[in-house]
Amino acid sequence: MKKFRKVLDGLTTSSPVNVGGAPLSSSTAGTPTAAPTPREIEVQETLVSENFQICKTVRHGFPYQPTTLAFDPVQKILAIGSRTGGVRILGRPGVDCYCQHESGAAVLQLQFLINEGALVTACADDTLHLWNLRQKRPAILHSLKFNRERITFCHLPFQSKWLYVGTERGNTHIVNIESFVLSGYVIMWNKAIELSTKTHPGPVVHLSDSPKDEGRLLIGFESGTVVQWDLRVKKADFRIYYDEAIHSVSWHHEGKQFMCSHSDGSLTVWNLRNTSKPFQVTFPHGKPQRDGKKPESCKPILKVEYKTTRNSEPFVIFSGGLSYDKAGRRPTLTIMHGKAITVLEMDHPIVDFIVLCETPYPNEVQEPYAVVVLLEKDLIVLDLTQSSFPIFENPYPMDIHESPVTCTAYFADCPPDLIPVLYSIGAKHKKQGYSHKEWPVSGGTWTLGTQTYPEIIITGHADGSIKFWDATAITLQMLYKLKTSKVFEKPKVGEGRGAELVEEDPYAVQMVSWCPQSRIFCVVGISAHVILYRFSKHDATTEIVSLEVRLQCEVEDTITPSDADANTGLSDSSSHLHQHPPGSPGSANTEGVRDSIPCLRVKNRPVRMPPGYQAELVVQLLWVDGEPPQQITSLDVNSAYGLMALGNCNGLVVVDYLQKSILLCMSTLELYGSNDPYQRLTRSPRRSRQLTSDNFCMRGLSNFYSDSKKRIRTSYQSLTELSDNQVTLDLERSRSPTSDHVNGHCTSPTSQPCVAGKPRVPGPEGPRLSRRGPGRPPFRKAQSAACMEINLPVSHTEESRENSFSRSRSSSVSSIDRETKEAVTTLQFMESYGRKTDALPSPCLWVGTSLGAALVIALSVPTDEEDRLDEPVTVSPCATVLMLKGSVLRFGSLTCGGALIPSPYEVWRDPHASEDPDRLRRRKLVNFSPSSSQEAAGDGHLAVVCSERQAKVFLMPAQTCLFVHNITESSFVLRADVVSVCNSVCLACFCANGHIMTLSLPSLRPLLDVNYLPLTDMRIARTFCFTNRGQALYLSSPTEIQRITYSQEMCDNLQEMLGDLFTPVETPEAQNRGFLKGFFGGNAQTFDREELFGEAAAGKASRSLAQHIPGQGGMEGMKAAAGGVVGDLARARIALDERGQRLGELEERTALMMSSAELFSKHAHELMLKCKDKKWYQF
């Protein structure tokens, strides 16, 4: 515990102290304020470095770029390998584990040691790994690196400790699973084939032991050669040569025949009694020829499974094999059951599939009951016990990427009633037709931990959909889905207004703002629109109100110095605010240039809305003279005030969503008034050039998949250097239509009542004076690189723009070229002080800009219930300017005692609930005033301001900088949040160089600085977010969400929260084959692999062939990785001391026993000598 004291002296408004850099701007110039009495602030900070530790908790979603699949039929767990070296192991809901190979090599094949709690992975770097699954965090026990040959196929017989490994050269090696070393027994390719064969058979594509005799190994080569090798006598039983390449082989359970799939789309069945020709050749999807010729070749059948049943015909299940003339058809899985052939079309290419059977023994009737199909972007399980083959309902969140994720939000400690309500609403819209049986992957155990609290994750998607997820207790379950596209009319064919802008995704979600207490939800779309939703348990038919805002500076014609002088003081002909009725088309001039029209058309009719989130208001930015609206870069909503604020690189808009009116529409420069901290020098006006598309490099949201050509416009845009093109800029300053230029106040236009759901239209205005001063020439508007939530440096190639995070974005803050591009980067409503002279806190809007300015706007909100809906809300820019280095990212409010002050909110009430009409419905507000916890009302509060370079803590209303910390000099902060951890508050930051930092509040002491993500990219930058309780998340791949914790407490409790992959289960006993069947079947009863493959019989393998690498898979090592390093080292030291003490005690007891034994031996010898010569009768 540490106390920080800061003596606050009375400061004059002319020269306030700023610890971190430029002097703070004063309030009203020339107006003296009363200096606060010098006093001491004592803040007891409880957070220390030992409270923080970075650790991955769980990964959700579909494995990105999957490659292979495996299933343990006894433990009932599933494993999926990926191209990036990851392995996902799934069991019952809650049992979900992610493992990663350090090499990052693609996983080629997976092999479970059935019911042994272990897994073998074969990777593309020709390395085998043995994973221990008997611990909650699997670890590698052994690795075996092949040096001279490439691994192509592996096979591990049931209840065997010898692994068969086929290679690209055609050889087959044998590995001991226990010691993970090679046996000296090798099946060379030239011995497997006939000596007369002149060509190489190709790589090994299949290995399996015969169900009839484990001593015989079936080897399939890519060229079409199949060899059955007798392991005892070391020679081939038979060899099969086929013209077509082999992709897979599957045995009949009796071991008398097997089936092969080939590259020409054929299936061949071979009988062991006659291997000279195939017993049967079929082309399941080939067209039969009339003259009896061979059917036309089809696409390759990549895999086939041949499974038998007791009471019906066997199942033959395969992927591929379609005819080439059906090029437009989707990938298929074919199920042949007797004469019935079912072709199932898949939405994505099939990567692998596996048939789940009742028995693990290959020589028994298999009785298949399900098929797990791994697709490129999905995982489905088919029920084979029903003739329609329905799919099982997947309990895992495998559809996060159903549409590419464009933004995320994470909320911990939500109101406890939210999750049940959202689930009940979302359950009504679930798909039907699933299998009624339980999910077959049911292995492992998982229990709800002791430390659980409601958590909700929100994902926004490229198609405009919003998904709410229950993230409680490291699980993830879909709660509710909202489609924002239903608010808008579908674009007519040929209209192309939205499609021309954003190609295929005009509704893509950029950011969300959610108040869990009031259930107010706002969505920012890519087409420069904001939708405000209210939650209701009842359906309703209402009309959506649309407000249209002209927040854009116009491109002027050629301007000369004389024109600039002549235009000074003239009226400005452009309007900045349009409030059309819903769906109004706007206007266009005679030349066809789009003007005053939105990108999308809101539905202008009453819309029936189901229970859940219901759209109430849409705010859209308009086209101006053929220029599309700029992206919205910041948003905040406050239910207690009934206000919503949004900003972009042109300015700020404040909306009263209760009165459905625009309160403020003003450019960023106008917010400063006379307190502009920058000396914006005039430049010689030059003839403007017409802006073309060549002037801008439009950034895409994300190319989520390498084969996707979809590019949609986002707020993360890069702009070519303006100095290269010599383009002059005109930043026209938009303002509120009802602004009072005398006192600087803006009031809501309430001249006309809002009836029938239509917005108010402001009254006619007189000629408006130009706000361009005589000393400021016009600049031509340009798209801003600073209008981003994450501003990236200028780059000229797509790849460099995607990954360029090391360069600074704020080095040219003082540049004149950049001054005109000051964007609103963050907004927050809070109870604060607009001016130094304020005695009591009041509603305020804090505005952060891309040039490091924090502005405070005072709000006068009527407190009476009836007055709030009728009286105007006054908006007063206060000229309070606080300066930081770099773009402002986050605001926070603390009491003078260091406690977090939440934003005020309105308690949720159902807007469509059927209540007593005589009962007055009043709004219930919860306000956390800064002075509520203080003895004196004038104590003020602490304002936390974090930018991409530094953080500062100010005392309000004195505006004195108490603490300052330069977070980074070589990089910049991408995300910052004021969060609560361990019953205290800290500032959490994520930097572009991959560092995660936490700073104490209010002293800004560094508590944690870990280089967690050394290789960052745009996807992580856009989706990284912190939340309370020491948790965070980001999109680790286009299909997966990675959750992490930076709390030591959660790291210590993580073992308790995770599920167990391995549960003790007895292996089912093999069926009794009976005397006659066993006798006439000729099944070999004894086959000792140890006798054949052991070192005594086969010798040692060549050391240069493979290298054994011991793993770090001990239980203690895994606990240390999951928990804190310091604590676990201390525990290990204590355990070591205890072990040494026990060893010492054991040594003492051993010495005592030895002395007792010697004494006993001595006495026995003496007794023997004494009685040696005595006769029997002398005793």
Side-chain angles (χ1 to χ4, degrees):
M1 188 178 295
K2 198 169 183 179
K3 295 184 179 180
F4 292 88
R5 299 184 178 183
K6 187 78 176 180
V7 179
L8 308 177
D9 298 326
L11 303 172
T12 61
T13 58
S14 58
S15 59
V17 175
N18 183 358
V19 180
L24 302 176
S25 298
S26 63
S27 57
T28 307
T31 304
T33 59
T37 305
R39 57 191 175 84
E40 281 191 350
I41 292 183
E42 294 188 5
V43 179
Q44 294 183 349
E45 295 187 353
T46 59
L47 290 180
V48 292
S49 299
E50 286 73 19
N51 294 126
F52 296 93
Q53 172 70 28
I54 294 290
C55 177
K56 292 182 180 179
T57 55
V58 67
R59 180 172 293 205
H60 303 296
F62 180 75
Y64 183 54
Q65 295 180 333
T67 55
T68 186
L69 190 66
F71 182 73
D72 188 326
V74 179
Q75 288 290 319
K76 307 283 187 186
I77 56 176
L78 186 74
I80 302 174
S82 71
R83 197 179 302 172
T84 56
V87 178
R88 269 300 270 291
I89 306 174
L90 304 171
R92 67 176 65 247
V95 179
D96 188 342
C97 181
Y98 174 78
C99 313
Q100 176 66 44
H101 294 91
E102 292 184 0
S103 63
V107 180
L108 300 180
Q109 197 174 354
L110 299 169
Q111 284 281 324
F112 274 106
L113 276 68
I114 296 176
N115 204 26
E116 294 292 337
L119 175 70
V120 176
T121 59
C123 296
D125 60 351
D126 306 310
T127 305
L128 298 173
H129 304 276
L130 178 64
W131 292 81
N132 179 17
L133 306 184
R134 292 180 178 245
Q135 53 194 49
K136 294 189 175 183
R137 291 282 183 136
I140 295 177
L141 294 174
H142 301 281
S143 297
L144 188 64
K145 169 70 174 175
F146 280 74
N147 298 322
R148 296 185 298 184
E149 298 192 55
R150 309 214 64 181
I151 299 173
T152 57
F153 195 87
C154 297
H155 170 63
L156 180 64
F158 180 46
Q159 294 181 327
S160 170
K161 67 175 184 178
W162 298 95
L163 175 71
Y164 301 115
V165 181
T167 67
E168 192 176 34
R169 293 186 180 180
N171 302 324
T172 301
H173 300 274
I174 302 172
V175 178
N176 187 310
I177 290 297
E178 294 178 350
S179 60
F180 231 62
V181 296
L182 275 177
S183 166
Y185 193 113
V186 182
I187 305 173
M188 305 299 292
W189 67 271
N190 54 355
K191 294 183 179 179
I193 64 173
E194 290 182 345
L195 297 177
S196 60
T197 305
K198 298 181 180 180
T199 58
H200 191 279
V204 176
V205 296
H206 177 81
L207 292 169
S208 63
D209 49 348
S210 170
K212 188 177 179 180
D213 185 358
E214 295 178 348
R216 287 177 165 83
L217 182 68
L218 193 70
I219 307 173
F221 297 93
E222 188 181 55
S223 63
T225 301
V226 179
V227 177
Q228 180 169 288
W229 184 263
D230 191 326
L231 295 170
R232 300 181 186 85
V233 299
K234 299 182 181 181
K235 70 175 184 178
D237 288 337
F238 61 82
R239 299 177 178 89
I240 294 174
Y241 298 96
Y242 196 68
D243 296 336
E244 298 294 335
I246 290 178
H247 286 279
S248 69
V249 181
S250 181
W251 278 98
H252 188 279
H253 82 275
E254 292 180 351
K256 298 178 181 179
Q257 60 183 16
F258 58 89
M259 182 179 293
C260 301
S261 68
H262 300 277
S263 58
D264 63 346
S266 65
L267 295 174
T268 58
V269 179
W270 300 83
N271 197 313
L272 299 191
R273 293 181 179 179
N274 183 12
T275 57
S276 60
K277 63 178 181 178
F279 175 75
Q280 184 181 10
V281 179
T282 57
F283 286 81
H285 296 297
K287 293 181 179 180
Q289 302 294 331
R290 294 181 179 178
D291 53 0
K293 292 183 179 179
K294 179 182 176 181
E296 294 182 358
S297 295
C298 299
K299 296 178 182 178
I301 296 179
L302 301 179
K303 185 174 182 179
V304 64
E305 291 277 6
Y306 189 16
K307 301 299 180 182
T308 55
T309 60
R310 290 187 181 88
N311 302 322
S312 62
E313 297 290 329
F315 281 90
V316 177
I317 304 171
F318 61 90
S319 60
L322 290 180
S323 60
Y324 282 101
D325 59 351
K326 298 178 181 178
R329 292 186 60 175
R330 293 184 290 181
T332 61
L333 183 78
T334 304
I335 302 176
M336 300 172 61
H337 189 207
K339 295 182 179 180
I341 300 179
T342 304
V343 180
L344 304 175
E345 291 190 343
M346 304 295 169
D347 293 332
H348 309 286
I350 297 175
V351 175
D352 195 3
F353 73 90
I354 189 168
V355 180
L356 308 188
C357 301
E358 296 287 353
T359 176
Y361 295 93
N363 58 353
E364 296 180 355
V365 178
Q366 299 297 288
E367 291 293 340
Y369 60 90
V371 183
V372 181
V373 186
L374 179 63
L375 308 178
E376 273 192 1
K377 300 174 185 178
D378 202 0
L379 177 72
I380 64 173
V381 181
L382 303 171
D383 185 357
L384 291 180
T385 61
Q386 301 182 40
S387 59
S388 59
F389 306 127
I391 65 173
F392 290 87
E393 185 177 4
N394 198 328
Y396 314 123
M398 293 291 184
D399 57 346
I400 293 176
H401 64 287
E402 183 179 14
S403 175
V405 178
T406 54
C407 73
T408 58
Y410 193 5
F411 300 88
D413 272 343
C414 298
D417 60 334
L418 259 181
I419 291 178
V421 169
L422 288 173
Y423 182 79
S424 63
I425 297 295
K428 299 177 182 178
H429 305 284
K430 281 192 173 182
K431 296 179 181 179
Q432 304 297 325
Y434 292 112
S435 173
H436 299 294
K437 294 192 174 183
E438 293 185 0
W439 180 254
V441 185
S442 57
T445 56
W446 179 77
T447 56
L448 199 63
T450 57
Q451 297 184 346
T452 59
Y453 42 85
E455 299 174 73
I456 291 179
I457 294 174
I458 300 177
T459 56
H461 300 265
D463 64 352
S465 62
I466 305 285
K467 292 182 180 180
F468 291 78
W469 305 85
D470 178 10
T472 306
I474 70 170
T475 61
L476 197 68
Q477 184 179 7
M478 178 78 164
L479 290 176
Y480 174 71
K481 183 177 180 180
L482 175 67
K483 295 182 179 180
T484 62
S485 59
K486 292 185 176 181
V487 174
F488 304 99
E489 299 280 4
K490 292 182 179 180
K492 296 180 180 179
V493 179
E495 184 176 296
R497 197 169 51 177
E500 182 177 311
L501 263 180
V502 291
E503 297 179 1
E504 300 176 13
D505 297 307
Y507 312 110
V509 179
Q510 281 190 292
M511 66 182 75
V512 297
S513 179
W514 188 41
C515 177
Q517 290 79 14
S518 65
R519 304 184 187 177
I520 294 291
F521 186 56
C522 290
V523 181
V524 175
I526 197 175
S527 299
H529 64 268
V530 181
I531 309 174
L532 184 139
Y533 290 89
R534 285 183 182 270
F535 187 84
S536 176
K537 295 181 180 179
H538 308 276
D539 58 358
T541 302
T542 57
E543 190 169 343
I544 304 171
V545 180
S546 175
L547 299 179
E548 298 176 353
V549 184
R550 188 184 175 99
L551 185 63
Q552 181 115 2
C553 303
E554 298 181 354
V555 180
E556 298 184 358
D557 294 331
T558 303
I559 299 177
T560 62
S562 59
D563 294 332
D565 296 337
N567 289 336
T568 303
L570 296 180
S571 62
D572 192 342
S573 60
S574 64
S575 173
H576 299 280
L577 173 63
H578 292 263
Q579 289 179 293
H580 296 292
S584 175
S587 62
N589 58 23
T590 56
E591 298 179 359
V593 177
R594 296 191 179 107
D595 185 60
S596 300
I597 58 175
C599 298
L600 301 171
R601 191 188 301 272
V602 180
K603 292 180 179 178
N604 58 357
R605 61 186 183 277
V607 180
R608 184 187 177 279
M609 302 179 187
Y613 274 104
Q614 300 169 351
E616 180 178 294
L617 176 67
V618 179
V619 180
Q620 292 181 284
L621 304 187
L622 300 175
W623 283 68
V624 178
D625 287 344
E627 288 289 331
Q630 299 296 318
Q631 300 294 304
I632 296 173
T633 57
S634 55
L635 173 76
D636 194 34
V637 63
N638 188 278
S639 57
Y641 306 155
L643 301 178
M644 177 176 66
L646 57 101
N648 65 2
C649 60
N650 287 330
L652 172 69
V653 178
V654 181
V655 179
D656 184 343
Y657 67 79
L658 294 178
Q659 298 185 18
K660 308 297 188 296
S661 60
I662 306 294
L663 301 180
L664 180 72
C665 179
M666 185 178 288
S667 70
T668 315
L669 295 183
E670 284 183 306
L671 297 175
Y672 288 105
S674 60
N675 293 274
D676 194 339
Y678 293 100
Q679 300 296 324
R680 305 178 193 267
L681 302 177
T682 60
R683 289 185 290 179
S684 300
R686 65 189 68 195
R687 184 175 299 273
S688 301
R689 296 181 182 179
Q690 182 67 29
L691 292 180
T692 64
S693 60
D694 294 336
N695 295 116
F696 305 102
C697 296
M698 309 297 288
R699 281 291 303 150
L701 263 172
S702 172
N703 190 6
F704 283 91
Y705 304 105
S706 59
D707 58 345
S708 174
K709 296 182 180 178
K710 179 165 51 177
R711 287 291 177 182
I712 47 184
R713 197 161 55 98
T714 74
S715 61
Y716 316 108
Q717 299 170 343
S718 294
L719 178 68
T720 54
E721 291 290 343
L722 298 180
S723 57
D724 296 339
N725 296 322
Q726 298 296 324
V727 180
T728 59
L729 305 177
D730 172 28
L731 183 63
E732 185 183 13
R733 300 176 184 180
S734 55
R735 59 181 179 83
S736 170
T738 56
S739 62
D740 185 349
H741 297 297
V742 178
N743 54 25
H745 294 294
C746 299
T747 60
S748 61
T750 55
S751 57
Q752 296 184 8
C754 184
V755 295
K758 294 191 177 183
R760 295 178 175 83
V761 179
E765 294 182 288
R768 293 181 299 164
L769 297 178
S770 171
R771 294 183 59 101
R772 186 186 302 127
R776 296 188 179 184
F779 297 92
R780 191 177 178 187
K781 176 259 169 195
Q783 200 164 19
S784 171
C787 69
M788 327 171 191
E789 184 179 355
I790 302 170
N791 303 312
L792 293 183
V794 175
S795 53
H796 299 282
T797 64
E798 190 72 24
E799 185 176 351
S800 61
R801 284 200 304 268
E802 183 74 17
N803 297 299
S804 52
F805 281 91
S806 59
R807 293 177 51 186
S808 167
R809 301 175 292 149
S810 304
S811 58
S812 58
V813 164
S814 60
S815 168
I816 295 177
D817 282 336
R818 306 247 179 209
E819 286 175 7
T820 59
K821 299 182 294 185
E822 186 169 10
V824 177
T825 54
T826 185
L827 297 164
Q828 184 165 338
F829 290 100
M830 68 171 73
E831 293 283 318
S832 185
Y833 301 85
R835 297 177 177 84
K836 290 185 178 182
T837 55
D838 291 348
L840 295 175
S842 62
C844 293
L845 173 63
W846 283 65
V847 181
T849 73
S850 57
L851 295 187
L855 311 172
V856 183
I857 298 177
L859 308 169
S860 177
V861 182
T863 55
D864 188 78
E865 176 78 14
E866 297 179 358
D867 294 343
R868 178 63 187 88
L869 299 178
D870 298 327
E871 295 295 324
V873 175
T874 305
V875 182
S876 307
C878 304
T880 297
V881 184
L882 310 175
M883 297 303 300
L884 289 85
K885 297 178 183 178
S887 299
V888 179
L889 300 178
R890 188 65 59 190
F891 296 116
S893 180
L894 307 176
T895 65
C896 290
L900 181 65
I901 304 176
S903 297
Y905 62 87
E906 174 191 2
V907 177
W908 174 76
R909 57 177 183 172
D910 198 325
H912 302 299
S914 56
E915 295 184 0
D916 187 359
D918 298 332
R919 181 183 176 185
L920 182 63
R921 297 187 64 196
R922 300 187 63 85
R923 301 172 68 220
K924 184 179 179 181
L925 306 181
V926 178
N927 189 7
F928 303 91
S929 174
S931 60
S932 61
S933 60
Q934 304 294 327
E935 295 179 359
D939 275 0
H941 74 100
L942 303 178
V944 181
V945 187
C946 182
S947 73
E948 61 183 9
R949 289 301 184 87
Q950 64 179 190
K952 290 185 178 182
V953 176
F954 297 92
L955 176 67
M956 302 299 289
Q959 301 177 16
T960 308
C961 181
L962 302 183
F963 301 98
V964 62
H965 177 73
N966 293 320
I967 300 174
T968 178
E969 293 294 339
S970 59
S971 183
F972 55 91
V973 179
L974 290 170
R975 181 77 186 212
D977 284 290
V978 178
V979 294
S980 60
V981 181
C982 299
N983 299 320
S984 189
V985 186
C986 70
L987 177 65
C989 303
F990 173 59
C991 296
N993 59 7
H995 283 247
I996 293 179
M997 307 177 184
T998 58
L999 306 174
S1000 67
L1001 289 177
S1003 65
L1004 298 177
R1005 286 180 301 114
L1007 299 174
L1008 174 73
D1009 187 354
V1010 176
N1011 187 9
Y1012 176 71
L1013 290 172
L1015 297 176
T1016 57
D1017 55 27
M1018 280 295 298
R1019 179 184 60 254
I1020 296 175
R1022 281 194 308 274
T1023 57
F1024 197 102
C1025 52
F1026 294 98
T1027 189
N1028 297 327
R1029 300 283 193 133
Q1031 297 203 69
L1033 66 80
Y1034 60 92
L1035 213 65
S1036 58
S1037 73
T1039 62
E1040 295 169 290
I1041 291 177
Q1042 177 67 59
R1043 291 166 66 179
I1044 65 174
T1045 180
Y1046 49 95
S1047 166
Q1048 178 68 60
E1049 181 183 4
M1050 187 168 182
C1051 287
D1052 294 338
N1053 297 326
L1054 187 59
Q1055 288 292 114
E1056 176 190 352
M1057 302 170 67
L1058 296 175
D1060 289 296
L1061 294 172
F1062 178 80
T1063 54
V1065 178
E1066 288 192 10
T1067 303
E1069 294 183 1
Q1071 295 179 0
N1072 187 5
R1073 296 173 58 86
F1075 173 76
L1076 294 178
K1077 195 169 185 178
F1079 182 79
F1080 292 105
N1083 188 19
Q1085 298 299 319
T1086 57
F1087 175 65
D1088 189 357
R1089 292 186 177 90
E1090 180 70 30
E1091 184 180 342
L1092 287 176
F1093 306 144
E1095 184 176 336
K1100 292 184 178 180
S1102 172
R1103 292 184 178 181
S1104 62
L1105 184 60
Q1107 177 187 0
H1108 176 260
I1109 304 171
Q1112 304 292 328
M1115 180 68 74
E1116 292 79 11
M1118 285 299 97
K1119 288 183 178 179
V1125 176
V1126 177
D1128 284 339
L1129 285 177
R1131 286 189 289 270
R1133 192 178 299 110
I1134 293 173
L1136 189 62
D1137 294 341
E1138 293 176 352
R1139 181 174 178 269
Q1141 183 178 357
R1142 289 195 297 268
L1143 287 175
E1145 294 175 355
L1146 180 62
E1147 186 177 359
E1148 291 177 359
R1149 288 196 298 269
T1150 304
L1152 184 61
M1153 290 176 63
M1154 289 179 63
S1155 61
S1156 299
E1158 291 177 359
L1159 184 61
F1160 178 81
S1161 175
K1162 181 179 178 182
H1163 290 320
H1165 185 67
E1166 291 177 353
L1167 182 61
M1168 184 269 296
L1169 294 177
K1170 183 178 180 181
C1171 302
K1172 181 178 179 182
D1173 298 328
K1174 289 186 177 182
K1175 304 296 182 182
W1176 62 271
Y1177 52 83
Q1178 291 179 333
F1179 286 98

